[in-house]
Amino acid sequence: MLRRTVFGLARSAIPTVSSATSLTAVFRPFSTTTSIMSTSASPSTTPMEDAIREKITTHLSPRTLQIHNDSHLHAHHSAMRGVTSRETHFRVVISSDAFKGKMQPARHRLVYGLLKDEMAKEGGIHALQLRTMTLEEEDKRREKEEAEERARTCKD
């Protein structure tokens, strides 16, 4: 039994990107579309999320890319008064070989550099929480979580 959830979904239900070409399975909590390669004429309902996904995918080729729009949790803050954007606070999980050999601050600077235009824009990204991992770190983390889950199920 999984106890940890994200937006009410069991952790195992959250898809990850297995390659840069397979983006249709990326977790999009507030979007009605599932692919950044949409050909519809209507504008996206999540332009900031789409920009984040496109830039990170293009430059970092992540194995895992999870973008969580937490803006609704911060809409009542005084700094958000008068802001009409519904895409201001994001939590992003990235695993990529591009992070290999880099310490956490350097990884974050790399991502901030990619998103500098979105962060500088009026009504753009106000807060960005990052979890950046190499592929090896992600594998170790996943193994540890699976071992903890097995241990919990043995106790139950």
Side-chain angles (χ1 to χ4, degrees), residues 20-93:
T21 57
S22 174
L23 294 176
T24 57
V26 175
F27 181 69
R28 297 180 66 136
F30 295 109
S31 177
T32 56
T33 60
T34 57
S35 172
I36 65 167
M37 296 172 205
S38 174
T39 58
S40 66
S42 63
S44 172
T45 58
T46 57
M48 193 64 65
E49 183 179 337
D50 293 344
I52 293 169
R53 178 171 284 105
E54 188 272 324
K55 286 186 176 187
I56 290 174
T57 301
T58 301
H59 292 89
L60 301 179
S61 301
R63 176 169 72 182
T64 302
L65 175 59
Q66 296 175 0
I67 300 173
H68 306 274
N69 184 345
D70 292 337
S71 302
H72 65 286
L73 300 173
H74 303 276
H76 66 282
H77 293 178
S78 61
M80 295 294 98
R81 286 193 193 122
V83 176
T84 58
S85 174
R86 301 213 188 281
E87 294 185 287
T88 56
H89 293 71
F90 290 94
R91 188 168 27 103
V92 182
V93 179

